mmCIF file of all heavy atoms in Angstrom:
data_model
loop_
_atom_site.group_PDB
_atom_site.id
_atom_site.type_symbol
_atom_site.label_atom_id
_atom_site.label_comp_id
_atom_site.label_asym_id
_atom_site.label_seq_id
_atom_site.Cartn_x
_atom_site.Cartn_y
_atom_site.Cartn_z
ATOM 1 N N GLU G 12 -118.114 86.678 -28.426
ATOM 2 C CA GLU G 12 -116.822 86.980 -29.027
ATOM 3 C C GLU G 12 -115.694 86.973 -28.002
ATOM 4 O O GLU G 12 -114.550 86.677 -28.329
ATOM 5 C CB GLU G 12 -116.880 88.340 -29.724
ATOM 6 C CG GLU G 12 -117.880 88.394 -30.867
ATOM 7 C CD GLU G 12 -117.953 89.763 -31.515
ATOM 8 O OE1 GLU G 12 -117.242 90.680 -31.030
ATOM 9 O OE2 GLU G 12 -118.707 89.933 -32.481
ATOM 10 N N ASP G 13 -116.034 87.322 -26.764
ATOM 11 C CA ASP G 13 -115.033 87.384 -25.702
ATOM 12 C C ASP G 13 -115.610 86.749 -24.437
ATOM 13 O O ASP G 13 -116.252 87.418 -23.627
ATOM 14 C CB ASP G 13 -114.635 88.843 -25.428
ATOM 15 C CG ASP G 13 -113.559 88.946 -24.346
ATOM 16 O OD1 ASP G 13 -113.141 87.903 -23.807
ATOM 17 O OD2 ASP G 13 -113.142 90.085 -24.040
ATOM 18 N N PRO G 14 -115.416 85.436 -24.265
ATOM 19 C CA PRO G 14 -115.984 84.747 -23.107
ATOM 20 C C PRO G 14 -115.120 84.833 -21.840
ATOM 21 O O PRO G 14 -115.421 84.166 -20.846
ATOM 22 C CB PRO G 14 -116.074 83.298 -23.596
ATOM 23 C CG PRO G 14 -114.931 83.164 -24.547
ATOM 24 C CD PRO G 14 -114.782 84.511 -25.217
ATOM 25 N N SER G 15 -114.069 85.641 -21.858
ATOM 26 C CA SER G 15 -113.189 85.720 -20.686
ATOM 27 C C SER G 15 -113.944 86.290 -19.489
ATOM 28 O O SER G 15 -114.773 87.191 -19.624
ATOM 29 C CB SER G 15 -111.964 86.575 -20.997
ATOM 30 O OG SER G 15 -112.342 87.880 -21.397
ATOM 31 N N GLN G 16 -113.639 85.739 -18.322
ATOM 32 C CA GLN G 16 -114.296 86.165 -17.085
ATOM 33 C C GLN G 16 -113.279 86.244 -15.960
ATOM 34 O O GLN G 16 -112.263 85.534 -15.963
ATOM 35 C CB GLN G 16 -115.394 85.179 -16.679
ATOM 36 C CG GLN G 16 -116.565 85.095 -17.632
ATOM 37 C CD GLN G 16 -117.563 84.032 -17.217
ATOM 38 O OE1 GLN G 16 -117.196 82.979 -16.710
ATOM 39 N NE2 GLN G 16 -118.841 84.317 -17.418
ATOM 40 N N LEU G 17 -113.567 87.117 -15.010
ATOM 41 C CA LEU G 17 -112.760 87.223 -13.799
ATOM 42 C C LEU G 17 -113.663 86.882 -12.615
ATOM 43 O O LEU G 17 -114.650 87.581 -12.370
ATOM 44 C CB LEU G 17 -112.180 88.627 -13.663
ATOM 45 C CG LEU G 17 -111.112 88.827 -12.584
ATOM 46 C CD1 LEU G 17 -109.899 87.921 -12.851
ATOM 47 C CD2 LEU G 17 -110.678 90.284 -12.518
ATOM 48 N N LEU G 18 -113.343 85.796 -11.923
ATOM 49 C CA LEU G 18 -114.128 85.340 -10.781
ATOM 50 C C LEU G 18 -113.478 85.856 -9.509
ATOM 51 O O LEU G 18 -112.299 85.563 -9.233
ATOM 52 C CB LEU G 18 -114.185 83.815 -10.734
ATOM 53 C CG LEU G 18 -114.991 83.084 -11.809
ATOM 54 C CD1 LEU G 18 -114.337 83.151 -13.184
ATOM 55 C CD2 LEU G 18 -115.179 81.618 -11.402
ATOM 56 N N LEU G 19 -114.202 86.659 -8.737
ATOM 57 C CA LEU G 19 -113.704 87.213 -7.487
ATOM 58 C C LEU G 19 -114.379 86.500 -6.327
ATOM 59 O O LEU G 19 -115.605 86.435 -6.263
ATOM 60 C CB LEU G 19 -113.986 88.718 -7.424
ATOM 61 C CG LEU G 19 -113.759 89.408 -6.074
ATOM 62 C CD1 LEU G 19 -112.294 89.310 -5.657
ATOM 63 C CD2 LEU G 19 -114.200 90.866 -6.141
ATOM 64 N N PHE G 20 -113.558 85.981 -5.393
ATOM 65 C CA PHE G 20 -114.120 85.313 -4.227
ATOM 66 C C PHE G 20 -114.466 86.330 -3.151
ATOM 67 O O PHE G 20 -114.023 87.468 -3.185
ATOM 68 C CB PHE G 20 -113.143 84.251 -3.706
ATOM 69 C CG PHE G 20 -113.353 82.920 -4.356
ATOM 70 C CD1 PHE G 20 -113.200 82.768 -5.724
ATOM 71 C CD2 PHE G 20 -113.749 81.830 -3.607
ATOM 72 C CE1 PHE G 20 -113.420 81.545 -6.337
ATOM 73 C CE2 PHE G 20 -113.977 80.598 -4.214
ATOM 74 C CZ PHE G 20 -113.819 80.464 -5.573
ATOM 75 N N ASP G 21 -115.284 85.914 -2.210
ATOM 76 C CA ASP G 21 -115.760 86.782 -1.133
ATOM 77 C C ASP G 21 -114.596 87.556 -0.514
ATOM 78 O O ASP G 21 -113.626 86.961 -0.037
ATOM 79 C CB ASP G 21 -116.440 85.923 -0.058
ATOM 80 C CG ASP G 21 -117.192 86.755 0.969
ATOM 81 O OD1 ASP G 21 -117.001 87.978 0.992
ATOM 82 O OD2 ASP G 21 -117.962 86.166 1.736
ATOM 83 N N THR G 22 -114.705 88.875 -0.543
ATOM 84 C CA THR G 22 -113.609 89.708 -0.035
ATOM 85 C C THR G 22 -113.822 90.150 1.407
ATOM 86 O O THR G 22 -113.030 90.940 1.921
ATOM 87 C CB THR G 22 -113.431 90.954 -0.921
ATOM 88 O OG1 THR G 22 -114.650 91.719 -0.878
ATOM 89 C CG2 THR G 22 -113.097 90.573 -2.334
ATOM 90 N N ARG G 23 -114.876 89.670 2.051
ATOM 91 C CA ARG G 23 -115.099 90.043 3.452
ATOM 92 C C ARG G 23 -114.208 89.161 4.334
ATOM 93 O O ARG G 23 -114.655 88.236 5.010
ATOM 94 C CB ARG G 23 -116.570 89.881 3.801
ATOM 95 C CG ARG G 23 -117.472 90.863 3.067
ATOM 96 C CD ARG G 23 -118.932 90.529 3.257
ATOM 97 N NE ARG G 23 -119.269 89.254 2.616
ATOM 98 C CZ ARG G 23 -120.479 88.722 2.635
ATOM 99 N NH1 ARG G 23 -121.462 89.330 3.263
ATOM 100 N NH2 ARG G 23 -120.715 87.575 2.026
#
Side-chain angles (χ1 to χ4, degrees):
E12 298 178 358
D13 182 359
S15 58
Q16 295 176 324
L17 191 60
L18 290 70
L19 169 62
F20 271 61
D21 191 348
T22 61
R23 293 171 294 180

